Amino acid sequence: MPYRINLMICAGTGCVSNRSFHIREALEREIKKHKLEKEVLTVMTGCNGFCAAGPIMIVQPDGTFYQKLQVEDIHHLVEEHLLKGRPVKRLMYIPPAEAEPIPKMADISFFKKQILIALRNKGIIDPEKIDDYIARDGYVALAKVLTQMTPEEVIEEMKKSGLRGRGGGGFPTGLKWELARGAEGDGKFVVCNADEGDPGAFMDRSIVEADPHSVLEGMTIGAYAIGADKGYVYVRSEYPLAIERTLKAIEQLRENGLLGEDILGSGFKFDVEVIKGAGVFVCGEETALIASVEGKIGEPRPRPPYPVEKGLWGKPTNINNVETWANVPAIINWGADWYSKIGTKTSKGTKVFSVAGKIKDAGLIEVPMGTTLGEIIFDIAGGIHNDRKFKAVLIGGPSGGALPSECLNLPVDYESLTGAGAMMGSGGMVVTDENNCMVEMARYFLNFTRDESCGKCTPCREGIPRMWEILSKIKEGKAEMEDLTLLEDLAKSIKDTALCGLGNTAPNPVLTTLRYFREEYEAHIKYKRCPAAECRELVPSPCYYTCPINTDAASYIALVAHGKFKEALEVNWSENPLPSVCARVCHHPCEVKCRTGEIGEPIAIRDLKRFVTDYGMEKGYRPTFKPAPKKDKKVAIIGSGPAGLMAGWKLAQLGYEVTIFEAAPVAGGMLAWAIPEYRLPKDTLNAEIENIRELGVKIKTNVCIGKDITINEIFQQGYKAIFIAAGAASNLKLGIPGEDVDGVIDPIQFLKKYNLEKEAKIGRKVAVVGGGNTAIDAARAAWRLGADVTILYRRTRPEMPANKEDIEAALEEGIKIEFLTLPVEVISKNGKLTGIKCTRMALADFDKTGRRKPVPVEGTEFEIEIDTLVPAIGQEPDLGFLKGNSQLKISKWNTLEVEPETMATNVPGIFAGGDVVSGPSTVLEAMKAGKIAAESIHKYLRGEPLTRKYEPLKSVREVPPVELTEEEILKETSRSEMPCISVQVRAGNFKEVELGLSKEMAIKEARRCLRCDLERKGGKQ
Amino acid sequence: MSQEEKISLTINNKTVEVEEGATILQAAQKIDVKIPTLCYHPLLEPYAACRICMVEVKMGERSDLVTSCNTKVRKGMIVETDSPRALKDRRLNIEMLMARAPAAKKVQEIAKELGIEKTRFEITDPEEKCILCGLCVRTCEQIVGANAISFAERGKERKVYTPFGEPSEACIGCTACAYFCPTEAITYEDKYGRKVIHNELQLGPSTAIRVPIRQAVPMVPFIDEEACIHFKTGNCKICEKVCEKEAVSHEMEDKEMEIEVGSIILASGFKPFDARRIPAYGYGRFPNIITGLEFERLVNASSPTGGKILLANGKEPRSVGIIHCVGSRDENYNEYCSRVCCMYSLKFAHLIKEKTKADIYDFYIDMRCFGKGYEEFYHRLLEEGTKFIRGRVSEISDMALTEQEEGKLIIRVEDTLLGTVRRIPVDMAILAVGLEPGMDQNQLAKIFNISCSQDTFFLERHPKLAPVSTFSDGIFLAGACQAPKDIPDTVAQAGAAASEALALADKGTFALEPITAEIDEELCAGCQICVGLCPFTAITFDKEKGISVINDALCKGCGTCVAACPSGASQQKHFRDRQIFAEIEGIFVV
């Protein structure tokens, strides 16, 4: 190599649009300035694949990988790396959740699992130079074929390799060639199908752009094998770069005698022409493509006859897709045996995928067949954007299907994908997360096929728009269940009866989403709910909508932005008697759905709530809960936790006389004695309970149901209905040997003691088992008591169910978390705990929730010396209070069974909700249950049927938008960080950690809101 | 592959044998199993787009839905045309087509057969008829070859369109598209006068291949080249495909034949006077003004109206005017009397009286009812109440002056018996058009070396002594080519002509003219002036000798060549110059 350093700059479409040509100009300027022209060469390569990181540059020969380059960086880069030999860390790739950059491309996980065959030259050669291609063994295969092999031998080799059509159908390539060779007639044709056009797919385009010669060489070999003398490359005109590079390549071939008459002196003649397609999706279908090349309307015709018998102008025609052709020279060069070793039993070799959607590292990849979906999405593409939950991956674009988390272990090969209801397609993969509505997703793809249907056959032309209409109806919450039946019938019928592949596969997105996400459809129809909070007609704003008790967050955010804090507080009070509590302990699902989070960080909605409630407290504002006229009916509530308080508050407002029976000495349930005061100060909680009391709700503490009074006795005292909200406070055991020794303590009891009595006994070296909020609370409380705390968790951090900010705080406080660790045995001496034996876990296949299953790694057992073990892996309700009321149904999880829509138990007049029904869950879920139960009790007491009527949620308040400054509009602003007291101050006390936002911070934060509630007014965009 | 090879398959549990290459649909039709179709037509290539004809096919383990219109039969196929799966999909597709084209009757019919009453899908255009089956487009492409229409847009927006939505230049106006349309969705408008209206006397549509008229002899169809699609585009030839006897050929051409005959009878007939030439009579402008021949066709039992006398709007006329002498006895057109109009007009009046309750006005100049029984017929009509008005009609218009005249045709006439100009409102006017010589009369005369009179009817040799002969021996005249005649006269003359011809044939010889011209070979300079002048083409030029030669059998001794010959080589036998001078001298001697 005459140059010391080659700078390979990506000139794929993605990087070009990220100004990679400007980068090159800047580099050359700098290189010239430093007089390095003789030593350093810049090369524009085809698509590198790691499009998310563009523009990309690789420094060869050492393989340093630079990403997201800006023209401003170049001066520094050239000086440091090229002149002084110090690679610039700042511009390297840093994996998510890690601090250190990875300097070499080969070490980046995105590239690690890939095997490059079709893309063997990507990023290595200049696609516009035939010499580069030849230097990489280009046209060796052609020479070999023309001089040493008969056409039959070539076909035999292809058959042996097991290569199958990469356009999606998966027809064995060798067999196709054989049929084409055997077909009667002269003047045969080979065609390269580069009409890729499904949303989210850019494989073929990238191959042609990165390495046009590999495709042309493959075509020439194919032409020799089948006996064709003319070839066509059918490229859509939306791919100008691909067209330009192919044309250049053809010209170079002609100049070099590799195309035309008597190629390489073998007597074989072949020529190629580029046909520009008008960008019609259906022209990817063979017969439509043929019609288009012939100059007719690009419409499919019924098959048979197949193109290999009667294709272009009635002559035998062999059509293969770009990727198939690009594989051919490699197979000839390195042999069918080598090729067939890669992949699975039925699907050989590799497959190129374009991975896009809600993932961290979008781009172009090539993996061996049989790689699982999970590996592609999580290991190569880096997992889901913003660490949200994976929902589905759409493979094969509008013709493919949505595969859910159950399918993450599915190996990618033709049969497995078809079996799961999707298809290989040309290899577009669009990943969706929990914020993507599957109805909307299906509708989106149908919208595409609806537009792209040629309209020839009835089912496709008429049926797809009809399906789209039904999906629109569902999405708008206007559909009935029979619409779903019709939708399914239509989908099956279209799949069965459409004329060509477009129609046959167009219902796949609907069919697969119906198969895997039927409950989402039903939620839209029955409950008028969009679980992903995406469908505009049902979702006034995602935050408001997602709130389990429907606090209109969008409104109070807007009011804060206007500085109208009191009004904001009133918005909170309207649906929630415990806003100050929620402002501290809510798991804020609203922030997950926040649209601002799609483009940056979500709005700190909970922190704004905290600000508003703090402001109210400071100003001494009191809520003005207004009860309805008194009704002479009494309702009893068992348990004064969030569910009980919510139900009591609601019922009291409706005019009922409400009494809450509480077994503990204080009201509040888990809020009072499980959540430590550093998260939720007692004063705050008590103030809000006081508000509820003032409304007329009586709370009788220290009343233990089953002991002091039975349920039947409550009825006898004249109560007309009972709401059981007794919570779940019975701790689950680990189920490992030696658990029952001194030193193993129940986290609930520990927290109760700690919270109520401000003192609890804890050892010096504490291990907490679990990853939920209880585990974190117990750990942090123990730390405050001076213990050295280690959390043992069997999975990894992203899978921890506890609130993210609490995990972070725990880590900050110096609590160690041993991830991928499972206790297997409690070690004790003389009945006293001395340590715990653990094993390391490894993440294996994905489970149904889309998380990787941890499995023990053999031989990794180790011991930790501890004196206290807190097993906090979950709780269940303690149903001992039901004595004498055995007719209440109990589930196999030891929870009360209720009608989930009404919270009614099987006993008339008794309702239940909260953790006692759901098992341990969040405060807000409990409040939601309380709210529903109160509504049901109200209906029950009025003698109405309990069934709920579901209506789409409507926006009630309209707050005008604030006027933003230019800077606010143009600049991406970051989220206001919640100020906290320092770790040093936290030790040994119960001081509230979070201080609350200042007024300025709150207003600034609220002004970041995109106000999607306004966008959705009237269901219009 | 022998053509005799038969394939056996099962359709709805019935076994059927068909030839290899047949489709399932064809096999089903053979055993009367009905499969509904919309986009299929036996004359067009299968299109497989409507997907209504899908049937379930079992081949071994596999069971598939296939379109029966294009799927070829295979041995051992088990076909179920109405399997639950096929029916379910067929119903759904029909339901969707019902929503697309609610006004398409054919779809409604199939839906009814499938037990569907209403579509569950929303209807956007209740008037829509087009189901986009493409029969029209394919007809225009595959059969007509004009490619004047095609599909535009795609998906749901797809529609049949002419280029840019403008009236298509490529359209030849054959209307085959409308004919093939199963749902009557295609209408057409003749923008450029391209549509060929196949008319039999403007009274009803017919086709490009037809029997010229009902009573035509011979009674065989012919291809109207002007209307036939094949002669415009080179495609089509459907008639060839459907004619089982393979009797139709587009390759047949006009041929010249030489037939040797002893005598020729010319009976080339007449043509009716074109009433458009008299603009004042409004023919061609008002639909209810018709000619005598058209009335004759209308009242014929095989007419489009079944012999009923109806107006263009389908109603019976309440008053009819019959105008005599249209184009006859008129110095602007023809001075002669056409001889037949008075009598046929009277016949019309009688027929109208018989078939309708209309008032009849008969406008005449003179009533020419000569001959046996004719005058009596006239009297009978007078008694029947036909109103005869003596006078020439000056104008027929629709310009009403009074309320009574509103919506009527007004005939303006000077009643010469009353001496006043009258306006007679009628519903229908019949123009008794006269007879004119045939269009190619002069040409025929030239071919046969005969002459025409001043009015271009053929000239007979002698009006009294040789009324059927011409100046050319062996050529005779019969019928209206010689002069206007009615049928009895024509038949009589035809009989006479035939016997003249027979007499000639019987004799086997005919007498030459004794007085003919002859050429003096010594004097003839070969100028060929005589050749061009001879009215009987009796003179030819002998190239070898360089002189003119006279055929004695043809020469009638008219002397034209004698007078014209500049060298005096042509001499009339018995009338040579020398002889004539001798005669003159003789006279002086006396």
Side-chain angles (χ1 to χ4, degrees), chain A residues 629-640:
Chain A
K630 277 265 174 280
K631 297 183 177 66
D632 54 352
K633 280 184 181 142
K634 294 203 291 180
V635 180
I637 294 171
I638 299 171
S640 68

Side-chain angles (χ1 to χ4, degrees), chain A residues 929-969:
Chain A
K931 191 173 164 187
I932 295 170
E935 280 160 14
S936 295
I937 289 168
H938 181 49
K939 279 186 201 157
Y940 170 76
L941 293 177
R942 300 209 306 178
E944 288 170 8
L946 294 184
T947 29
R948 284 171 71 186
K949 253 182 84 183
Y950 295 95
E951 295 282 339
L953 189 66
K954 289 266 170 325
S955 202
V956 279
R957 239 175 242 92
E958 195 168 338
V959 186
V962 287
E963 222 166 277
L964 299 175
T965 64
E966 196 139 314
E967 198 192 2
E968 276 174 318
I969 292 166

Side-chain angles (χ1 to χ4, degrees), chain B residues 319-360:
Chain B
S319 51
V320 180
I322 303 172
I323 294 101
H324 288 229
C325 297
V326 176
S328 310
R329 301 183 71 195
D330 185 336
E331 56 189 14
N332 295 316
Y333 306 102
N334 297 312
E335 282 185 69
Y336 55 80
C337 167
S338 291
R339 280 171 64 111
V340 297
C341 330
C342 283
M343 287 321 294
Y344 81 60
S345 298
L346 292 179
K347 182 185 81 175
F348 289 172
H350 177 68
L351 285 172
I352 296 166
K353 205 75 203 169
E354 203 173 69
K355 294 196 170 193
T356 69
K357 289 175 188 152
D359 289 334
I360 304 159

Side-chain angles (χ1 to χ4, degrees), chain A residues 280 297 299 302 451-459 461-463 465-466 486 489-490 493 496-499, chain B residues 47 49-51 54 65 70 85 88-89 92 96-97 99-100 120-122 131-132 150 154-156 158:
Chain A
V280 179
I297 302 179
E299 275 175 13
D451 279 352
E452 291 293 339
S453 162
C454 74
K456 181 171 175 178
C457 72
T458 310
R461 179 190 65 233
E462 306 293 332
R466 295 303 179 185
L486 183 59
D489 283 350
L490 269 173
S493 175
D496 242 12
T497 62
L499 171 63
Chain B
Y47 192 53
C50 74
R51 316 306 275 184
M54 289 196 106
L65 275 188
N70 74 320
R85 185 175 163 203
K88 193 174 179 188
D89 289 342
L92 211 45
M96 293 193 287
L97 286 176
R100 151 165 290 275
R120 280 172 287 178
F121 304 107
E122 200 188 323
I131 53 168
L132 298 167
S150 184
R154 64 185 187 204
K156 206 174 182 308
R158 187 177 170 97

Side-chain angles (χ1 to χ4, degrees), chain A residues 45-51 105 110-111 114-125 133 136 166 202-212 214-215 322-330 334 338-339 350-354 363-367:
Chain A
T45 72
C47 179
N48 179 287
F50 201 5
C51 307
M105 175 169 112
F110 182 84
F111 298 103
Q114 297 196 41
I115 292 183
L116 303 181
I117 297 175
L119 292 171
R120 59 194 177 279
N121 291 328
K122 74 159 192 190
I124 297 174
I125 64 165
Y133 181 70
R136 295 268 303 161
R166 296 293 191 249
F202 44 87
M203 298 78 51
D204 293 346
R205 162 187 211 157
S206 301
I207 294 174
V208 177
E209 286 176 7
D211 197 7
S214 68
V215 178
V322 168
E323 192 184 338
T324 316
W325 289 123
N327 269 302
V328 172
W334 297 306
W338 160 80
Y339 192 81
T350 57
K351 176 80 195 88
V352 179
F353 288 103
S354 58
L364 187 74
I365 60 163
E366 184 172 0
V367 290

Side-chain angles (χ1 to χ4, degrees), chain A residues 604 607 974-978 997 1000-1002 1004-1005 1008:
Chain A
D607 296 347
S974 58
R975 181 177 159 118
S976 297
E977 281 300 322
M978 172 62 89
L997 300 177
E1000 290 69 32
M1001 283 167 92
K1004 186 175 159 236
E1005 182 65 18
R1008 284 176 62 223

